[in-house]
Amino acid sequence: MNIEERLENLEIKITYMEDFLKQIQEVAVGQVKEIDKLKAENRLMIQKIKELIEETGEEIPNRKPPHY
């Protein structure tokens, strides 16, 4: 295998690697967005629970549901 063939093979591998890294980056960005969305939903649920506790004036019991 001569130097030009080796260079061409390396360029092909680099191109595939760059594409793969771009795909991974897109997935990671999507996951970060989903995590941020879930965190926001979690904060809203925590706030709602606090509001319900304040309205009723008592703590919500932390027990297993009846089907357990």
Side-chain angles (χ1 to χ4, degrees), residues 6-57:
R6 290 179 69 191
L7 256 165
E8 185 176 335
N9 286 338
L10 287 172
E11 288 173 346
I12 291 169
K13 286 181 181 182
I14 289 171
T15 301
Y16 279 114
M17 290 175 83
E18 287 174 340
D19 184 54
F20 180 69
L21 286 173
K22 183 180 177 185
Q23 291 175 18
I24 289 175
Q25 184 179 15
E26 289 172 0
V27 169
V29 168
Q31 288 177 340
V32 167
K33 288 178 182 179
E34 184 68 19
I35 289 170
D36 289 344
K37 177 184 164 199
L38 292 171
K39 284 180 178 179
E41 289 176 2
N42 191 35
R43 281 191 295 274
L44 288 174
M45 289 192 319
I46 289 170
Q47 183 60 37
K48 185 64 176 174
I49 289 170
K50 287 179 180 178
E51 290 172 4
L52 290 171
I53 290 171
E54 288 175 6
E55 286 177 12
T56 62

